[in-house]
Amino acid sequence: MGRIDVAVVTGGGHGIGRALCRRLAKDGAKVVVADIDSESAHTVATEIAGVARQIDVSDEAAVTALVDEVESSVGPIDLFVSNAGVGFGDGKSGAISAEGGMNPIDDRWTISWNVNVMAQVYAARAVIPRMLQRGEGRIINVASAAGLLSQIGDAAYSTTKHASVGFTESLAIDYGDAGISVSVVCPQAVATRMIGIEDDSGKTEGGFRGNDVDGILSAEAAADIIVDQALEGRFLILTHPTVSTYIQRKTGDYDRWIGGMRKFRRSLLE
Ligand SMILES: NC(=O)c1ccc[n+]([C@@H]2O[C@H](COP(=O)([O-])OP(=O)(O)OC[C@H]3O[C@@H](n4cnc5c(N)ncnc54)[C@H](O)[C@@H]3O)[C@@H](O)[C@H]2O)c1
């Protein structure tokens, strides 16, 4: 597959998305920094001589329009990275919570579903037909280790990230033979605002209120692993290799794994 001349990165204004934009630009791509946060998208685009686009990726018409507009004004999209994602946390009664958290419960589930899953569906629907015509293209969907294991304390996040992994599997199975390279990214903790660490703080500790397991990667380190492994044609990209062991333990004995997660949850509550 050819080089990446044009890439779109959703959620490119902050965190992992911003680091992906920087890495892809360094590799010579013209990068479209697409984010709901217009100011941060412009800041990143200016820094990397890219293009900023303000977009809410949960709006299908906006995603379709973005793909159309980028293809005509910037060029054929070689790589589309659906990276934008949200997590709100359960309320105090756990997975069934109808109270607490950062938004009303229905909004939390709806926004998580639309941003973490449907936005990836909308992007694929818009861009894959064009890639099929060209006989090549790359899709990277950023899910989470929570999409393979589980995020204690956020049922909506865990559920929607599982759906993201499932959808991306379908893309890889359906379009791989037609020359489309598809990857799903399943990180554990990465130092971004999502886990309470501000961009440019230089910190790689103290996220998840200090409950991070297995260490926190910088966004730059995560971006390098993601791009390198996607270019190698890998489907499953694990920025934290221990996740591979956890998946094997889970699938090897699911009930034992649930028991281990209960124990882990108890330890977090102590
Ligand atoms: N940080 C972690 O520990 C971690 C771990 C696993 C997976 N992830 C995933 O990585 C991806 C990037 O997250 P991050 O950690 O860089 O977080 P972040 O909060 O720093 O960045 C998320 C970006 O997405 C943008 N965004 C949010 N909703 C949007 C919308 N509707 N339309 C367009 N843009 C929107 C935000 O403005 C922000 O720029 C997410 O999908 C997240 O679930 C993060």
Side-chain angles (χ1 to χ4, degrees), residues 11 13-16 35-37 55-57 83-86 115 142-144 157 161 187-190 192-195:
H14 293 281
I16 298 171
D35 206 293
I36 199 164
D37 177 348
I55 184 172
D56 177 353
V57 291
N83 160 78
V86 289
V115 176
V142 179
S144 169
Y157 189 75
K161 291 298 186 177
Q188 283 187 300
V190 179
T192 71
R193 298 187 315 163
M194 181 168 268
I195 65 162

Side-chain angles (χ1 to χ4, degrees), residues 143-151 157-163 165-166 186 250:
S144 169
L148 300 166
L149 303 164
S150 242
Q151 178 70 49
Y157 189 75
S158 298
T159 304
T160 56
K161 291 298 186 177
H162 274 74
V165 172
C186 296
K250 179 177 178 177

Side-chain angles (χ1 to χ4, degrees), residues 3-254:
R3 42 177 269 136
I4 298 169
D5 290 320
V6 176
V8 178
V9 180
T10 71
H14 293 281
I16 298 171
R18 183 179 76 161
L20 286 168
C21 290
R22 287 172 168 168
R23 162 65 198 262
L24 291 164
K26 199 173 94 192
D27 287 358
K30 182 63 117 181
V31 181
V32 179
V33 186
D35 206 293
I36 199 164
D37 177 348
S38 170
E39 195 181 323
S40 68
H42 277 94
T43 303
V44 175
T46 303
E47 177 199 316
I48 63 170
V51 178
R53 292 289 181 268
Q54 200 267 338
I55 184 172
D56 177 353
V57 291
S58 65
D59 175 349
E60 180 165 21
V63 174
T64 308
L66 173 77
V67 167
D68 288 349
E69 187 265 324
V70 169
E71 290 253 337
S72 57
S73 72
V74 184
I77 298 168
D78 300 303
L79 167 65
F80 197 107
V81 188
S82 283
N83 160 78
V86 289
F88 299 104
D90 293 326
K92 62 179 185 290
S93 50
I96 60 164
S97 295
E99 87 296 330
M102 291 161 63
N103 286 70
I105 186 67
D106 288 340
D107 289 357
R108 292 207 301 269
W109 275 89
T110 305
I111 297 169
S112 299
W113 180 253
N114 289 338
V115 176
N116 295 347
V117 186
M118 293 315 296
Q120 299 187 344
V121 177
Y122 301 150
R125 266 186 201 153
V127 80
I128 285 184
R130 294 170 179 275
M131 291 177 171
L132 289 173
Q133 273 180 357
R134 298 192 278 267
E136 62 178 12
R138 295 181 185 279
I139 301 286
I140 300 176
N141 286 343
V142 179
S144 169
L148 300 166
L149 303 164
S150 242
Q151 178 70 49
I152 293 171
D154 198 335
Y157 189 75
S158 298
T159 304
T160 56
K161 291 298 186 177
H162 274 74
S164 164
V165 172
F167 174 64
T168 314
E169 285 177 6
S170 294
L171 291 181
I173 294 165
D174 285 355
Y175 305 110
D177 287 349
I180 314 298
S181 167
V182 178
S183 303
V184 70
V185 186
C186 296
Q188 283 187 300
V190 179
T192 71
R193 298 187 315 163
M194 181 168 268
I195 65 162
I197 299 179
E198 282 303 318
D199 290 340
D200 301 319
S201 69
K203 284 196 200 162
T204 51
E205 50 192 39
F208 283 126
R209 297 175 298 280
N211 287 323
D212 49 275
V213 268
D214 303 328
I216 302 181
L217 270 188
S218 71
E220 288 69 29
D224 282 339
I225 294 168
I226 293 166
V227 174
D228 289 345
Q229 295 196 9
L231 291 177
E232 285 166 15
R234 281 189 76 93
F235 171 70
L236 178 61
I237 298 177
L238 300 177
T239 54
H240 300 65
T242 48
V243 171
S244 176
T245 309
Y246 298 150
I247 306 165
Q248 287 168 43
R249 287 188 193 146
K250 179 177 178 177
T251 53
D253 189 339
Y254 218 132

